[in-house]
Amino acid sequence: MAGSDDARPDPEALLRHAVQEGRGRLKIFLGAAPGVGKTYEMLSEGIARKRDGVDVVIGVVETHGRVETDALTRGQEIMPRRGVPYKGRTLYEMDLDAILARRPRLVLVDELAHTNAPGGRHPKRYQDVEELLAAGIDVYSTVNIQHVESLNDVVASFTRVRVRETVPDRILEVAEIEVVDIPPDELIERLKAGKVYLPQEATHALGHFFSKSNLSALRELALRRAAQAVDAQMLDHVRALGLGGTWAGSERIVVAINELPGADLMVRAAKRVADGLRAPWTAVFIETPRAAGFTPAEHQRIAAAMTLATQLGAAVASVPAANVIEGIKVFLAEARATQLILGKSRRSRWFELRHGSVVDRLVRETPGVTVHVMPLADLSPAPPRDGAPRRADPGSATGYIAAALMVAAVTGIASALLRVLDLGNVGMLYLLPVMAAASLYGLRTGLFAGIASSLAYNFVFLPPVGTFSISNPENVISVVVLLGVAFVTSQLAARVRGQADLAAASARSNAILAGFLREIGSVNDPQTAGEMICADVRRLFDVQVVLMAPVDSRALAMQATTDPQYRVDIMDMAAATWAFDHGVPAGKGSGTLTASEWLFHPLKAGGRSLAVLGIARDSAREPIRADQLPLLTALIDQAALVLERLRLETDMRDMDAVRTRDKLRAALLSSVSHDLRTPLTAVIAAADALDHGATPALIATIKTEAARLNRFVANLLDMARIEAGALNLNIEAIDLSDAVTSASHDARRALEGHRLRLNVPPDLPLVRADPQLLHHCLLNLLDNAGRYGDPGSEIVIEGRHLYGEIRLAVLDHGPGLPFGQEAKVFETFRRLEGSDRAVGGTGLGLAIVKAFAEAMGLSVQAGNRPHGTGAAFTLVFPSDLIVRDVAPESVT
C-alpha cells in the first residue's frame, strides 16, 4: 500500500483505461423524471456537434408528440427502424446492423433502458449501445433516475411505482453524465400544460408519481448519483496517473477504531456523519506490534466495534503498521478519505512527552483531511482495565538463557583475542549478543543481554579485574556507552522484528486468501464449494461452521457443515434467517438475536444474500477475535463471489436449454412449411389421383415422399437422443463398400438430378463402427450434398487409406463453404443457405453427423474441394478403429 508521498500508478486503473482505448465514448443525459428535457438536450447537443463537422446520425428518438422535440429532428439524418413482427403486429426497433454498417462518428440513442422486441440480437437497448461503443462509435443516450438498477427499489419505496426496465450501474460508471434538471414546480407546470402527457394522463400523474415531494426526492437522487459517478471516475483517473492528494469529488469517511472503551461511540458517530453527507465510510483498525499484548477484553472491544460497523453498513479493514500514525496516514491516502473520526483519551503530561499525541500529529500531517476528535474515557496507562492488567511481553526463559549463553560465548572469545584486541574493540564484540537476543527474542531479552554484556565487560576486562568496581574514570564512560548502545540497538532490533512480524502476518493473510481462491475457484458444484468453504474456515479460525442456503423460495436449509451431527434450533434459525433477509450479521457477538450460540454472516453478491455462514466455538468465548474479523470478512466476500459464479453458471445453462428449445420450436415451425408440407402435399395429390386409377409413378411418389418424411422425423428423434445422451452403440466390423452402397440406395430421392459416382476401393480394410449410426451419417451427408450441389452436377463418394487412417469423403459441386466458417456448419440449427436459391432443412443433419461420429470415436471434417468448386465432408476412421488382417470378403 503506497502512501501519499510514494504515489504510483494503480495497475488496475491503468488496465481499465487501456480497455477503453479504441472504444466509443458514452454520454448519458440523466433526468429525475419524464419531461425534464433529456431528449431535447441530447438532440440540441448532437446538432451542435454536427455543426462542428462531426458525422452525427439519429439512431432512435422518441418525441412522444412534443412539438419542440419533434422540430429538432427535422433535417437530421435518421436511421430507418427495423420492423419486428410481434403478436400479430409490427414493432419498430433501432436497426443496430444498419448503424454499424453506416459507422457514424456519433449516434443519438434515446431511452437507454428500453426493452427490445423479441427476435433482436439483444434483449435490451443498453446492450445495443455497448456493441456500438465496442465498434468505436460514440453514443449519446438518455435515462431517468428510476431506471438505474441500484436505485430501483429506493424510488419504488416512496413513489409506489416500480419500473421493470432498468440499466446496470456499470453503464453509468463508464459514461460521462450530464444532469438535465428543472425545478419541481416548473415540471409540474409543464405537466399541466400538456407538454409531458395528454391532459387526462397528466391529471392522474399529478396525483401520484409527479407529486412535488416525489419530484424533489428524485431530483436529489439524480444529482447525488451523478456526483458519485464523477467522483468514481476522478478517483480512477488520479490512481491511473499516480497522483497524490485527496481529490474529493464527494466525501469519504474513515473512523479509526482502537481498544479503548468508547470505540462503539465513534462508530455510531461516523454513521451519523456518513448519513448526513450520504457518503461511504470505512472502519479501520491499525494493527501494531503492541496489539499482541491486548487483553481479552480489549480484543472483544475491537471485535464488537468492527461488528457494529459492519451492521451499520461500513466497510471494515485491518491495516498492519509499525505505529498508529503511519498506518492511518497510509490508509487515508489509499482510500482518498476526506474526513477522519478518531478518539482521544486523557493522558498524563509525562505520557505525551514520551509518546507524543496521535491526534496532534495527524492534524498536522494530514492536510486536506477534516479530523473529528471524540473525547473518550479518562484512562491512565498505569491502572489495570476491566480487572485484567495489560499483558506485557516479559520474554521467555529460553530467551534469557540463550542471551546469557551468547554473552558467555562472546566473553570467552574476547578473552582469547585479548592479546590482539584493545579494550575498545572488545566492548564492540558485546553488541553481537545484544542484537541477536533482541532480534530473536524481543526487546526485554535484548535489554537483559545489554546489561549482562556491560557487567561481563566490567567484571572480566576492566581493572580491577574480577570486581565490578572501575578504577579508571575513562572506563566508566566505556561501560555507559556500551549500555546505551545496547539499549538503542535492542530498541531498533525489536522494532525491525515487530515490522517483520507484521509483514509476515500480512503475507500470511494474502497467502490464505490466494490459496482459498485457488482451491475453490475451480469448483463447479455448489455442494462441493460449500463443504470446502466450511472446511477452510474451520481450519483457519478453529471454529465450528455451518453453511445455510435457501431452498424452496426463502426457506433456509443446511447445505454444508463441519460436523454432520449439528442441528440448529429455533433461535439459531431465527438468527440465520435475520442475517439472510437483512444482509447483516446476527447471533452471538452481534447486536441482534444474541441468545443464539452461532454468529451468522450473510454471503452477499450482486446486492442480495446468497447464503449465510454460521460460526461458533465449543467454549464460552466469542466466535471470532477482532484481529481475525477482516480476514474472515475477506473470505466470506470471496466465497460469496464463488457462489454467485456457480449460480450464474446454472442460470446460463438453463438459459442455453431454453434457447435450444426455442430454436427447436422455431425450426419445427419453419420445417412445417417445407420439410413436412411439401412431401405431404405430394402424398395427398398422389392419393387423390389414385381415385382415378393408380399408376407406377404415383405409387413411387408416395413411397419417396413418405421416405422423406420418415427421414425428417428420424433426424428429430436422433437429435432428441443426442440431447438426452441416450445413444446405445452396437460396434461391429463393417465393410465400407457395402455401407456406402446401402446409403446411396436409400438417398436416391435426395440425389435426384445429380450423378452419383462411387470411388470406394473394395480392398479397404474393415472398420469398427455402429452400422445404424454410420448409415445415418452417410444419409445426412448425401442429403446435404443433394441440397447444395448444383443441379445436374456430380456427387462423389470416395474412400482412401492414408497415413494409417481411412478417410471417407462426400464431395459435391456447389457454392462451397465460406472461408473461416467450416467448423460452424456442424452447429445445431446452422443452415447453409445458398446465395442463389432457397434451401430448406432444419440445420440438424450435419449436427447429427458430428454427434454420431464422435460417439463412435470418429472425427468429421468440413472444407472445400482442393480442385474445383464445392464442399467436401470427410469421416475419418483412426487407426484404432481399423480391423487388421481381416479381408472384406470374409465378412458375410
Side-chain angles (χ1 to χ4, degrees):
M1 186 181 296
S4 57
D5 57 345
D6 187 25
R8 291 170 293 183
D10 185 348
E12 293 185 0
L14 286 173
L15 182 60
R16 287 190 292 270
H17 278 258
V19 170
Q20 293 300 318
E21 291 296 327
R23 291 175 57 89
R25 299 187 179 277
L26 174 63
K27 181 173 183 178
I28 294 178
F29 295 85
L30 179 65
V36 298
K38 303 180 302 299
T39 304
Y40 186 92
E41 184 65 23
M42 179 186 70
L43 290 171
S44 299
E45 189 158 335
I47 293 171
R49 293 287 305 276
K50 188 173 183 179
R51 291 197 198 101
D52 294 337
V54 178
D55 183 15
V56 181
V57 301
I58 297 177
V60 62
V61 66
E62 304 291 350
T63 63
H64 298 291
R66 297 164 190 160
V67 178
E68 301 90 343
T69 305
D70 187 64
L72 290 178
T73 63
R74 295 171 190 165
Q76 307 302 318
E77 182 181 355
I78 303 177
M79 300 298 297
R81 299 196 190 188
R82 175 177 57 88
V84 180
Y86 181 67
K87 293 185 177 180
R89 57 195 182 101
T90 302
L91 303 178
Y92 293 93
E93 298 289 355
M94 182 179 75
D95 194 337
L96 176 61
D97 291 324
I99 297 174
L100 291 171
R102 168 69 172 75
R103 290 196 66 83
R105 185 69 188 89
L106 171 63
V107 60
L108 311 182
V109 180
D110 204 8
E111 296 187 359
L112 185 62
H114 172 76
T115 300
N116 293 327
R121 183 149 70 244
H122 302 299
K124 295 289 187 178
R125 184 168 290 171
Y126 73 80
Q127 295 172 314
D128 293 339
V129 167
E130 288 183 312
E131 187 168 344
L132 292 172
L133 296 173
I137 301 174
D138 292 347
V139 178
Y140 284 178
S141 191
T142 64
V143 73
N144 287 325
I145 192 63
Q146 66 264 31
H147 294 288
V148 178
E149 178 65 42
S150 63
L151 299 176
N152 181 258
D153 55 343
V154 177
V155 173
S157 66
F158 61 83
T159 63
R160 302 296 186 270
V161 176
R162 181 181 289 273
V163 296
R164 300 300 178 188
E165 298 178 324
T166 58
V167 174
D169 288 61
R170 59 180 171 81
I171 302 295
L172 276 71
E173 291 169 0
V174 298
E176 176 187 351
I177 297 179
E178 179 177 326
V179 179
V180 182
D181 182 45
I182 62 174
D185 291 333
E186 185 176 338
L187 180 56
I188 291 173
E189 290 300 322
R190 285 174 53 83
L191 191 68
K192 291 178 179 179
K195 296 182 179 181
V196 180
Y197 295 124
L198 296 175
Q200 60 272 23
E201 296 175 344
T203 302
H204 177 77
L206 282 170
H208 295 81
F209 188 86
F210 281 83
S211 66
K212 185 173 181 179
S213 59
N214 284 351
L215 293 177
S216 298
L218 290 169
R219 187 186 187 198
E220 181 182 1
L221 281 177
L223 293 172
R224 289 190 179 277
R225 187 62 185 83
Q228 290 175 7
V230 170
D231 182 63
Q233 293 169 13
M234 177 271 300
L235 275 180
D236 201 53
H237 177 71
V238 299
R239 284 172 177 161
L241 297 180
L243 301 177
T246 302
W247 302 90
S250 66
E251 299 294 334
R252 290 178 292 278
I253 299 166
V254 171
V255 54
I257 293 175
N258 56 33
E259 77 283 5
L260 302 177
D264 57 335
L265 301 179
M266 291 194 296
V267 170
R268 293 188 178 92
K271 170 64 173 174
R272 290 192 295 271
V273 173
D275 287 347
L277 298 174
R278 300 286 182 90
W281 61 296
T282 304
V284 61
F285 170 67
I286 307 301
E287 186 180 352
T288 62
R290 61 186 291 270
F294 285 171
T295 64
E298 289 169 335
H299 277 298
Q300 174 56 29
R301 213 172 284 139
I302 297 170
M306 287 284 202
T307 303
L308 177 61
T310 303
Q311 292 173 340
L312 296 179
V316 296
S318 178
V319 178
N323 58 71
V324 172
I325 295 174
E326 291 304 318
I328 292 179
K329 286 171 58 180
V330 169
F331 187 81
L332 292 177
E334 178 67 20
R336 308 280 177 170
T338 60
Q339 299 199 30
L340 171 66
I341 299 174
L342 60 134
K344 180 176 176 62
S345 59
R346 185 176 300 174
R347 302 289 191 178
S348 66
R349 287 285 184 184
W350 172 241
F351 184 88
E352 292 193 358
L353 284 174
R354 286 188 297 137
H355 301 283
S357 171
V358 172
V359 173
D360 292 343
R361 284 192 58 186
L362 285 174
V363 170
R364 290 194 307 268
E365 298 177 15
T366 55
V369 178
T370 302
V371 180
H372 302 265
V373 181
M374 288 189 61
L376 299 180
D378 183 11
L379 297 170
S380 60
R385 288 184 287 251
D386 300 332
R390 178 184 297 278
R391 294 194 308 270
D393 180 17
S396 63
T398 302
Y400 290 125
I401 294 173
L405 292 176
M406 286 187 287
V407 171
V410 168
T411 302
I413 294 172
S415 299
L417 298 176
L418 186 61
R419 295 180 180 179
V420 295
L421 296 177
D422 56 24
L423 285 179
N425 292 329
V426 169
M428 296 295 292
L429 291 177
Y430 281 102
L431 293 179
L432 297 176
V434 174
M435 290 188 293
S439 300
L440 296 175
Y441 302 104
L443 175 62
R444 291 176 179 267
T445 308
L447 293 177
F448 168 79
I451 295 173
S453 297
S454 299
L455 293 176
Y457 180 60
N458 182 11
F459 187 83
V460 176
F461 298 103
L462 294 182
V465 175
T467 67
F468 291 105
S469 62
I470 302 174
S471 61
N472 190 347
E474 293 181 358
N475 292 334
V476 175
I477 298 176
S478 299
V479 173
V480 172
V481 170
L482 177 61
L483 190 58
V485 171
F487 177 79
V488 173
T489 303
S490 299
Q491 290 274 24
L492 293 177
R495 183 176 301 177
V496 169
R497 184 190 179 203
Q499 292 176 345
D501 290 342
L502 289 175
S506 179
R508 281 195 301 271
S509 298
N510 293 333
I512 288 171
L513 282 175
F516 178 76
L517 287 175
R518 184 171 57 253
E519 183 179 0
I520 201 173
S522 59
V523 176
N524 294 317
D525 175 49
Q527 180 64 36
T528 304
E531 293 173 356
M532 293 176 64
I533 291 169
C534 291
D536 282 348
V537 173
R538 175 179 174 81
R539 175 175 56 83
L540 293 172
F541 301 102
D542 190 25
V543 291
Q544 306 299 336
V545 189
V546 296
L547 182 68
M548 305 181 70
V551 178
D552 298 331
S553 184
R554 301 289 290 179
L556 291 176
M558 191 86 71
Q559 180 176 335
T561 178
T562 52
D563 187 345
Q565 303 299 322
Y566 281 140
R567 294 292 183 271
V568 294
D569 58 22
I570 297 177
M571 181 58 69
D572 298 331
M573 181 59 71
T577 304
W578 174 275
F580 183 85
D581 291 341
H582 294 82
V584 295
K588 186 176 183 179
S590 70
T592 305
L593 299 172
T594 56
S596 172
E597 291 298 320
W598 294 81
L599 172 62
F600 291 97
H601 284 268
L603 275 65
K604 298 193 299 183
R608 68 190 191 96
S609 298
L610 303 175
V612 290
L613 186 76
I615 57 176
R617 292 188 187 274
D618 295 332
S619 63
R621 291 184 297 162
E622 293 296 328
I624 199 74
R625 298 198 316 267
D627 57 323
Q628 297 174 327
L629 185 60
L631 178 58
L632 176 64
T633 302
L635 289 175
I636 287 175
D637 290 342
Q638 299 301 326
L641 291 177
V642 171
L643 295 182
E644 176 72 356
R645 174 180 63 82
L646 295 176
R647 185 187 68 81
L648 291 175
E649 288 178 355
T650 302
D651 291 347
M652 286 300 298
R653 287 194 293 269
D654 294 342
M655 290 177 63
D656 288 341
V658 171
R659 280 195 292 265
T660 302
R661 287 196 295 268
D662 289 343
K663 286 182 179 180
L664 181 58
R665 188 181 298 111
L668 288 175
L669 292 176
S670 173
S671 299
V672 166
S673 64
H674 187 277
D675 292 274
L676 290 179
R677 181 176 294 174
T678 300
L680 281 176
T681 301
V683 170
I684 293 171
D688 290 339
L690 289 176
D691 291 338
H692 302 86
T695 65
L698 292 177
I699 295 175
T701 299
I702 292 175
K703 288 182 178 180
T704 55
E705 296 299 339
R708 183 177 174 184
L709 278 175
N710 183 65
R711 187 162 58 250
F712 172 73
V713 173
N715 272 347
L716 294 179
L717 293 176
D718 287 342
M719 182 52 64
R721 291 166 61 198
I722 293 171
E723 295 292 335
L727 290 178
N728 296 317
L729 298 181
N730 181 25
I731 302 297
E732 59 183 59
I734 298 175
D735 185 348
L736 288 180
S737 299
D738 293 342
V740 168
T741 302
S742 175
S744 302
H745 179 270
D746 290 347
R748 62 188 182 280
R749 172 63 180 170
L751 300 177
E752 277 189 1
H754 298 278
R755 302 187 308 277
L756 180 62
R757 179 163 60 92
L758 303 182
N759 187 15
V760 181
D763 58 349
L764 281 179
L766 301 180
V767 296
R768 298 189 181 277
D770 185 299
Q772 184 179 3
L773 297 188
L774 181 60
H775 187 74
H776 278 280
C777 289
L778 294 173
L779 280 180
N780 281 315
L781 289 178
L782 291 172
D783 181 74
N784 182 76
R787 289 177 184 272
Y788 293 97
D790 294 334
S793 63
E794 183 183 56
I795 295 174
V796 181
I797 306 178
E798 66 176 20
R800 294 287 184 269
H801 191 184
L802 298 172
Y803 310 113
E805 299 176 337
I806 292 181
R807 304 173 69 86
L808 188 64
V810 178
L811 315 174
D812 64 53
H813 284 281
L817 302 177
F819 179 76
Q821 303 295 313
E822 291 85 353
K824 294 185 177 180
V825 299
F826 294 110
E827 295 177 1
T828 308
F829 306 112
R830 174 73 66 172
R831 297 173 61 178
L832 297 177
E833 300 298 339
S835 59
D836 56 349
R837 62 188 184 276
V839 180
T842 59
L844 293 175
L846 294 179
I848 291 172
V849 171
K850 185 174 187 295
F852 282 2
E854 291 178 348
M856 293 185 290
L858 315 180
S859 62
V860 59
Q861 301 172 356
N864 290 314
R865 300 182 64 165
H867 305 291
T869 59
F873 292 88
T874 306
L875 292 171
V876 180
F877 295 81
S879 59
D880 59 333
L881 294 182
I882 299 175
V883 180
R884 307 294 180 184
D885 302 327
V886 178
E889 293 78 3
S890 65
V891 179
T892 59

